[in-house]
């Protein structure tokens, strides 16, 4: 029987079903090329990561980053332009619960200083020989190292050969600071009587001691004590005490001075503090203040008590462009008179760096200030007054503050009130510069003054975070430390979550049992789908 001839379509189908030969050489070549390219990519990525290292803080409040002021100071000439690098020696146990935190923080200081800070870590158990060298070099006793410490050595030159022990000891005292590690954090006790670190204040202490070690000796402010009320009438901490503590944190010493018996402000005065004067100055005392203000690089920090009668002193301030008014900054809400003035920081002045348009509140009575920023007479004398704090809209300077039921009168009162055609801002804090502050050569010779028309805000119960930043920036601006103007280091708060044993057991089951089983099942499903 004859075979049926095969159709052309069937021949094409048979040829298509034949398996194509696999080009194993081509596949192997591609695999080798991919491996080589992957190897080169890994090398290049490692090279880029070594030469362009960048650390990113993804925490919500940037708890692992240095503050603006610390970064600015580490980038300033005080740290970077030196004959000898600053050395920080941390005597820490590696098994300490805070070792990793402090190591990372100190490495941040080293990185932002462009390696002008050298770090060394000594474990008292593992590095006994190095610990003995440390004790000998810095003339410490072994008993002093019974607790963990951080030492900052900011000497700008090595000890001279043949120098006397007294000179060496003076250099060690001036430019070396020792910080007990226990001062860098606050511990609390949980319900199981176990201690844990609840708050970190390490950056504030480290930066403060770094500034102190570099400068060697503290700056000096003189406080006019015979014009102020030294003891607070309400038995709370006096305002000047709060200001003294803030100065100390900025490496500035507050010394008392009686101007009634002083013919001349001491030459070592970095500034004069007049905190809430209750009594007026006479003509001779005003002449003493004028003589100091006429010096190069003089500085005043002044807070006013609105209840004090200071005719001569107000005239002194008026001569330099700030005129305290006889009023009270108030507002009326729901037929109730409020005196804790709400205000905002003005934009522009370097003192308000990082605070521009930030709202705040000054507890206690405040008086309004007239800032004569467009006075030709002052401009000719190179005197420039400007506002630092302005009362918020709806607040005004009430001239008839002693009468009941006050109301805004546009003919007598200052304020930005809705619907009022003649709106005059009420200033609560202002500053004055005498000299050419914008000239790099003349800037160190400029004289500066800050006037705040409120004193009660310095009491601890009234002190707010933004006001604390403002005063610290003002102090550094007055003494010429522009690198430390800005937002100060913030404490880092840690909250401990206590779980019940049943909840902890359930979480352990999820992590150790359910999650691995779920991953295995997903892998099996994917493998089976690809196999089919």
């Amino acid at each position: 029987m004859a075979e049926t001839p095969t159709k052309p379509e069937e021949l094409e189908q048979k040829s298509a079903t034949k398996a194509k030969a696999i080009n194993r050489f081509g596949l192997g070549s591609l695999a080798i090329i991919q491996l080589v390219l992957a190897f080169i990519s890994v090398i290049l990525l490692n090279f880029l990561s070594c030469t362009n290292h960048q650390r990113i803080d993804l925490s919500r409040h940037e708890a692992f980053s240095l503050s603006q002021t610390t970064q600015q100071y580490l980038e300033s000439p005080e740290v970077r332009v030196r004959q000898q690098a600053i050395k920080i020696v941390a005597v820490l146990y590696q098994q300490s619960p805070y070792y990793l935190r402090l190591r990372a923080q100190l490495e941040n200081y080293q990185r932002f200083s462009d390696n002008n800070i050298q770090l060394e870590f000594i474990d008292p158990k593992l590095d006994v020989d190095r610990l003995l060298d440390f004790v000998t070099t810095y003339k410490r006793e072994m008993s002093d190292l019974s607790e963990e410490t951080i030492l900052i050595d900011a000497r700008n030159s090595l000890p001279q050969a043949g120098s006397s022990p007294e000179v060496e000891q003076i250099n060690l005292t001036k430019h070396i600071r020792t910080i007990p590690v226990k001062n860098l954090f606050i511990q609390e006790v949980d319900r199981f009587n176990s201690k844990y670190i609840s708050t970190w204040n390490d950056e504030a202490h480290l930066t403060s001691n770094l500034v102190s070690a570099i400068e060697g000796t503290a700056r000096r402010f003189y406080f006019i004590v015979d014009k102020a009320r030294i003891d607070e009438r309400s038995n709370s901490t006096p305002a000047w005490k709060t200001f003294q503590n803030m100065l100390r944190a900025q490496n500035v010493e507050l010394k008392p001075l009686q101007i009634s018996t002083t013919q001349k402000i001491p030459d070592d005065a970095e500034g004069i503090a007049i905190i809430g004067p209750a009594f007026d100055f006479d003509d001779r005392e005003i002449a003493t203040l004028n003589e100091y203000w006429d010096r190069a690089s003089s500085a005043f920090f002044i807070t006013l008590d609105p209840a004090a009668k200071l005719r001569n002193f107000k005239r002194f301030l008026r001569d330099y462009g700030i005129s305290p008014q006889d009023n009270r900054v108030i507002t009326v809400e729901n037929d109730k008179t409020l005196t804790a003035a709400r205000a905002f920081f003005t934009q522009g002045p370097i003192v308000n760096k990082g605070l521009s348009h930030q709202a705040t509140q000054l507890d206690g009575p405040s008086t309004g200030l007239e800032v004569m920023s467009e006075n030709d007479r002052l401009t000719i004398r190179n005197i420039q007054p400007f506002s630092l704090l302005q009362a918020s809209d709806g607040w005004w300077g009430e001239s008839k503050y002693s009468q009941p039921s006050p109301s805004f009168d546009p003919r007598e009162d200052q304020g930005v009130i809705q619907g009022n055609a003649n709106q005059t801002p009420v200033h609560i804090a202002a500053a004055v510069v005498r000299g050419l502050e914008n000239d790099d050569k003349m800037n160190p010779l400029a004289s500066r003054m800050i006037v705040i028309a409120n004193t009660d805000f310095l009491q601890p119960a009234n002190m707010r975070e933004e006001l604390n930043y403002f005063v610290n920036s003002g102090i550094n601006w007055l003494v010429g430390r522009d690198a430390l103007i800005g937002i100060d280091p913030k404490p880092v708060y840690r909250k401990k979550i206590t779980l019940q044993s049943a909840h902890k057991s359930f979480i352990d089951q999820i992590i150790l049992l359910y999650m691995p089983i779920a991953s295995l099942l997903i892998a099996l499903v994917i493998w089976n789908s690809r196999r089919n």
Side-chain angles (χ1 to χ4, degrees):
M1 187 172 181
E3 294 182 359
T4 305
T6 304
K7 296 180 180 179
E9 294 81 3
E10 293 179 356
L11 292 174
E12 289 178 2
Q13 290 178 359
K14 289 181 179 180
S15 61
T17 56
K18 290 182 179 180
K20 293 183 179 180
I22 298 174
N23 188 357
R24 298 185 182 277
F25 177 78
L27 292 176
S29 301
L30 289 176
I32 292 174
I33 292 173
Q34 289 175 354
L35 288 174
V36 171
L37 291 177
F39 181 73
I40 294 174
S41 300
V42 171
I43 293 176
L44 291 177
L45 286 173
N46 277 276
F47 176 77
L48 290 174
S49 65
C50 292
T51 56
N52 299 278
H53 176 71
Q54 187 174 3
R55 189 168 180 261
I56 301 175
D57 187 355
L58 299 179
S59 60
R60 182 178 179 183
H61 300 290
E62 296 185 347
F64 302 95
S65 300
L66 296 180
S67 65
Q68 176 189 23
T69 54
T70 299
Q71 293 182 28
Q72 289 174 172
Y73 189 72
L74 294 175
E75 295 168 358
S76 67
E78 285 79 4
V79 176
R80 296 199 173 186
V81 183
R82 295 174 54 86
Q83 298 177 4
Q84 185 177 343
I86 300 167
K87 190 172 184 179
I88 297 181
V89 183
V91 182
L92 292 170
Y93 293 102
Q94 291 187 13
Q95 65 269 26
S96 297
Y98 38 75
Y99 176 82
L100 293 177
R101 160 78 188 191
L102 292 178
R103 187 182 185 97
Q105 192 74 300
L106 292 175
E107 287 175 350
N108 281 337
Y109 278 78
Q110 183 182 40
R111 187 171 69 256
F112 282 104
S113 70
D114 196 18
N115 292 321
N116 284 285
I117 291 179
Q118 298 177 354
L119 295 181
E120 183 179 5
F121 294 88
I122 300 176
D123 190 318
K125 286 185 178 180
L126 304 178
D127 307 319
V128 178
D129 292 339
R130 182 63 194 98
L131 183 64
L132 293 175
D133 292 340
F134 172 81
V135 169
T136 305
T137 302
Y138 294 104
K139 295 180 170 45
R140 296 294 195 268
E141 298 291 339
M142 290 298 292
S143 58
D144 297 338
L145 301 177
S146 57
E147 59 181 8
E148 296 166 295
T149 59
I150 295 176
L151 181 139
I152 301 175
D153 182 357
R155 292 176 294 178
N156 207 15
S157 59
L158 292 172
Q160 298 294 328
S163 58
S164 64
E166 292 79 9
V167 173
E168 246 183 273
Q169 187 61 39
I170 291 174
N171 290 332
L172 288 174
T173 304
K174 285 181 63 176
H175 295 287
I176 291 180
R177 299 293 181 270
T178 304
I179 314 167
V181 171
K182 65 181 182 181
N183 293 347
L184 302 180
F185 54 81
I186 299 174
Q187 285 186 318
E188 294 183 8
V189 179
D190 59 17
R191 64 175 187 169
F192 302 108
N193 291 327
S194 299
K195 289 184 178 181
Y196 71 97
I197 297 175
S198 62
T199 308
W200 277 101
N201 287 314
D202 49 348
E203 186 186 346
H205 284 277
L206 289 170
T207 302
S208 176
N209 280 274
L210 179 63
V211 174
S212 176
I214 291 175
E215 295 185 347
T217 55
R219 309 286 185 96
R220 181 165 292 180
F221 258 64
Y222 284 93
F223 171 42
I224 308 296
V225 294
D226 51 348
K227 298 298 178 182
R229 289 189 175 92
I230 301 301
D231 298 325
E232 183 62 35
R233 288 165 290 185
S234 60
N235 294 326
S236 61
T237 303
W240 70 269
K241 272 283 188 186
T242 304
F243 183 66
Q244 183 184 42
N245 294 333
M246 299 176 76
L247 284 176
R248 189 179 294 115
Q250 302 297 325
N251 194 39
V252 180
E253 180 186 16
L254 188 65
K255 296 283 289 183
L257 177 71
Q258 291 188 347
I259 197 169
S260 58
T261 59
T262 301
Q263 301 298 323
K264 180 185 176 183
I265 303 296
D267 294 333
D268 63 347
E270 289 278 350
I272 298 296
I274 304 175
I275 308 298
F279 312 103
D280 201 4
F281 294 73
D282 60 29
D283 293 340
R284 187 197 63 77
E285 294 165 348
I286 293 293
T288 302
L289 296 180
N290 278 315
E291 185 274 332
Y292 171 73
W293 174 251
D294 290 336
R295 301 181 198 173
S297 304
S298 58
F300 279 98
F301 185 89
I302 300 167
T303 67
L304 298 176
D305 182 357
K309 305 298 181 182
L310 308 171
R311 197 174 107 186
N312 292 336
F313 188 62
K314 289 182 179 180
R315 188 171 67 248
F316 165 79
L317 296 177
R318 195 177 302 115
D319 288 340
Y320 301 111
I322 297 179
S323 178
Q325 304 296 296
D326 185 15
N327 59 22
R328 297 291 185 275
V329 180
I330 65 167
T331 192
V332 176
E333 292 181 1
N334 299 324
D335 297 328
K336 185 178 180 180
T337 302
L338 305 179
T339 59
R342 289 193 289 269
F344 63 91
F345 297 95
T346 58
Q347 184 177 10
I350 187 174
V351 189
N352 289 348
K353 186 176 182 180
L355 292 172
S356 298
H357 296 296
Q358 174 79 33
T360 188
Q361 177 176 309
L362 289 88
D363 294 314
S366 303
T367 187
L369 300 174
E370 180 185 356
V371 181
M372 296 175 278
S373 55
E374 299 181 358
N375 189 301
D376 295 336
R377 179 178 58 86
L378 296 175
T379 304
I380 294 172
R381 297 163 57 195
N382 281 331
I383 296 176
Q384 302 125 20
F386 50 89
S387 174
L388 297 177
L389 258 179
Q390 181 179 322
S392 301
D393 295 354
W395 291 76
W396 73 87
E398 176 60 50
S399 56
K400 298 179 181 178
Y401 53 87
S402 59
Q403 298 181 4
S405 304
S407 61
F408 178 74
D409 186 347
R411 297 169 299 178
E412 298 179 352
D413 302 331
Q414 296 176 326
V416 179
I417 306 298
Q418 187 176 5
N420 177 34
N422 185 21
Q423 297 186 352
T424 307
V426 179
H427 307 288
I428 302 178
V432 179
V433 173
R434 182 181 60 81
L436 302 176
E437 189 182 31
N438 295 327
D439 190 321
D440 292 339
K441 294 182 178 179
M442 302 301 294
N443 180 282
L445 302 178
S447 297
R448 297 164 179 175
M449 178 190 301
I450 290 178
V451 181
I452 304 174
N454 182 303
T455 297
D456 289 346
F457 83 95
L458 280 173
Q459 293 182 358
N462 300 337
M463 201 64 187
R464 298 173 180 270
E465 186 179 37
E466 64 275 5
L467 291 174
N468 187 74
Y469 297 153
F470 171 64
V471 174
N472 286 335
S473 293
I475 292 169
N476 287 305
W477 179 69
L478 291 175
V479 300
R481 289 200 208 111
D482 291 353
L484 286 173
I485 297 175
I487 302 299
D488 293 341
K490 295 182 179 181
V492 178
Y493 299 100
R494 299 288 180 86
K495 294 183 179 179
K496 186 174 181 180
I497 301 176
T498 303
L499 297 175
Q500 296 180 4
S501 58
H503 295 166
K504 184 178 181 300
S505 176
F506 180 67
I507 293 174
D508 290 341
Q509 290 176 12
I510 292 176
I511 296 174
L512 300 176
L513 185 63
Y514 301 144
M515 290 180 66
I517 292 175
S519 301
L520 181 60
L521 291 176
I522 292 172
L524 289 173
V525 170
I526 295 174
W527 173 79
N528 187 58
S529 63
R530 289 182 175 181
R531 180 172 173 272
N532 292 334

